[in-house]
Amino acid sequence: MMAQLGGVNRNLALEAVRATEAAAIASSSVMGRGDEELADRSAAEALRTALNGMYIDGRVVIGEGDEDHTSVLFTGEKVGTGEGAKIDFALEPLECITSAAKGGPNALSIVAMAGRGQLFQAPPVYMNKIAVGGGLPDGIIDLDATPEENLRAIADAKGCEVSDLVVCVLERPRHEAIISSIRETGARIKLIPDGDVSAVIATSQQQSGIDVYIGIGGALEGVLGAVALKCIGGQFQGRLVFRSPEERKIAHDMDIEDLDRKYALDDLVKGNVMFAATGVTDGALLRGVQRVGSYAQTHSLVMNSQSGTVRFVEAHHDLDRAGILEL
Ligand code: VTB
């Protein structure tokens, strides 16, 4: 999405990446302390401060939780200067919190942006997801089909055997049955400890070696993955998963009428969208923050669905000169 400002095209993701850079540097500075709350809060506070410097009338539609549970980047919080383009945000200041707190891999700071009302306001529940990268016939994946059916269709379209495919799945007890059925097809599996936004993006990157992502992760991460695929190309389906009547009630109270609905990518993400992510710790998608004294290097991914441009941004920061919040 480009914001029109006096005839000037603004790629807001190129501005938002300064915010994810700030969040990544802030949380990487407390990496490995074993304190998840501190790592997340450091990222969220830096992200919010940086987003508030943007000339936009912004609103968080999926954030760190509701206002009763968090004071930083809660769902419904306004961000930006309050003037300019009306922008909705889905954001995750620190994806893979557990990993970051241990100094482990794959932690990212992520922001997705769209015009007002264009993002699905996902409740804080799980989502069952399936994703493939671009260049395949429309409708090739179906959340309601068996892994065998999906993998056969993907293999046929790619002109390979099912055993050539690599399926990425979050390593969780809840996935035991699906992992067994994928193994029965002969396909290969990459189990990941965390980070299904990166896994969804990986389906669209040939060098990742991942053909399809399947499984249940956070609904927020589902929307972030869908935004990324809308920019980079690919197909996605998701369905909310409720573990209790209370979770169903939360969704119902958010005006979601059909709780069992199967969402296609275009149901989750409408119009032009943008995506910015910065690595906190090293991962398959992005390198983490490298820090030597007051010097920091960051690696980010910036995408825009309107132009389809995908940028990998390496930034060198002199924190003595700029300070984390003035990058
Ligand atoms: C995933 C993953 C995240 O949460 O969405 C997952 O991408 C949800 O499942 O990195 P669990 O509750 O089983 O962890 C994370 O692991 C953490 O936000």
Side-chain angles (χ1 to χ4, degrees), residues 7 9 30 99 123 199 236 309:
N9 268 344
V30 294
S99 184
F236 182 98
T309 309

Side-chain angles (χ1 to χ4, degrees), residues 9 22 64 69 75 82 115 124 126 193 265 276 278 297 300:
N9 268 344
E64 291 277 86
H69 293 98
T75 298
Y126 281 142
L265 197 154
T278 300
Q297 194 177 341
S300 304

Side-chain angles (χ1 to χ4, degrees), residues 57-78:
D57 177 3
R59 176 180 84 156
V60 177
V61 292
I62 325 176
E64 291 277 86
D66 62 40
E67 199 174 353
D68 296 338
H69 293 98
T70 180
S71 57
V72 186
L73 294 175
F74 56 85
T75 298
E77 185 172 344
K78 290 193 180 313

Side-chain angles (χ1 to χ4, degrees), residues 81-103:
T81 58
E83 293 168 289
K86 293 189 187 313
I87 302 296
D88 280 357
F89 284 85
L91 43 82
E92 192 157 31
L94 185 58
E95 152 77 328
C96 298
I97 295 179
T98 311
S99 184
K102 290 185 196 166

Side-chain angles (χ1 to χ4, degrees), residues 92 95-96 126 129 170 172 174 194-197 217-218 221:
E92 192 157 31
E95 152 77 328
C96 298
Y126 281 142
K129 318 171 193 180
L170 274 174
R172 296 289 188 277
R174 62 176 178 267
D194 271 311
D196 64 355
V197 181
E221 287 87 352

Side-chain angles (χ1 to χ4, degrees), residues 86-321:
K86 293 189 187 313
I87 302 296
D88 280 357
F89 284 85
L91 43 82
E92 192 157 31
L94 185 58
E95 152 77 328
C96 298
I97 295 179
T98 311
S99 184
K102 290 185 196 166
N106 288 325
L108 299 174
S109 179
I110 309 174
V111 159
M113 305 157 84
R116 188 85 358 130
Q118 304 289 72
L119 294 175
F120 173 60
Q121 300 198 19
V125 300
Y126 281 142
M127 180 182 275
N128 195 10
K129 318 171 193 180
I130 183 164
V132 285
L136 295 170
D138 278 350
I140 194 154
I141 46 168
D142 183 353
L143 205 52
D144 293 324
T146 63
E148 187 176 8
E149 289 163 340
N150 279 315
L151 295 174
R152 167 64 29 225
I154 296 166
D156 287 349
K158 291 195 172 190
C160 68
E161 300 298 324
V162 169
S163 56
D164 293 324
L165 298 177
V166 176
V167 187
C168 185
V169 184
L170 274 174
E171 187 169 20
R172 296 289 188 277
R174 62 176 178 267
H175 289 147
E176 270 170 25
I178 199 140
I179 290 168
S180 305
S181 28
I182 294 167
R183 286 187 174 140
E184 274 166 26
T185 68
R188 294 172 292 155
I189 297 195
K190 180 168 177 176
L191 292 174
I192 52 166
D194 271 311
D196 64 355
V197 181
S198 304
V200 165
I201 294 173
T203 63
S204 63
Q205 296 179 304
Q206 215 176 354
Q207 74 278 14
S208 74
I210 292 173
D211 297 283
V212 50
Y213 170 81
I214 298 181
I216 298 174
L220 158 63
E221 287 87 352
V223 174
L224 295 174
V227 169
L229 283 192
K230 178 140 189 185
C231 296
I232 206 169
Q235 298 179 52
F236 182 98
Q237 286 184 346
R239 177 181 281 124
L240 298 175
V241 175
F242 303 100
R243 288 171 296 169
S244 65
E246 290 73 31
E247 286 192 349
R248 295 183 83 86
K249 184 172 182 319
I250 291 172
H252 188 262
D253 291 348
M254 289 172 74
D255 292 334
I256 299 174
E257 278 169 20
D258 179 1
L259 299 185
D260 301 317
R261 177 169 174 188
K262 178 165 66 176
Y263 294 91
L265 197 154
D266 290 337
D267 299 321
L268 299 172
V269 177
K270 297 189 196 310
N272 296 319
V273 290
M274 297 185 299
F275 180 96
T278 300
V280 178
T281 59
D282 284 348
L285 179 64
L286 290 166
R287 292 201 67 186
V289 177
Q290 271 105 54
R291 184 82 186 262
V292 181
S294 65
Y295 166 83
Q297 194 177 341
T298 52
H299 295 85
S300 304
L301 171 61
V302 183
M303 306 193 282
N304 179 340
S305 73
Q306 186 170 324
S307 60
T309 309
V310 176
R311 290 183 171 88
F312 285 91
V313 178
E314 178 183 295
H316 299 249
H317 310 278
D318 178 350
L319 301 177
D320 274 346
R321 217 187 305 184

Side-chain angles (χ1 to χ4, degrees), residues 5 10 12 15 18 47-59 77-87 89 113 116:
L5 260 190
R10 273 170 87 194
L12 293 173
E15 299 178 38
R18 295 172 66 221
L47 188 66
R48 176 171 70 177
T49 305
L51 290 179
N52 278 340
M54 288 177 69
Y55 182 78
I56 49 165
D57 177 3
R59 176 180 84 156
E77 185 172 344
K78 290 193 180 313
V79 288
T81 58
E83 293 168 289
K86 293 189 187 313
I87 302 296
F89 284 85
M113 305 157 84
R116 188 85 358 130

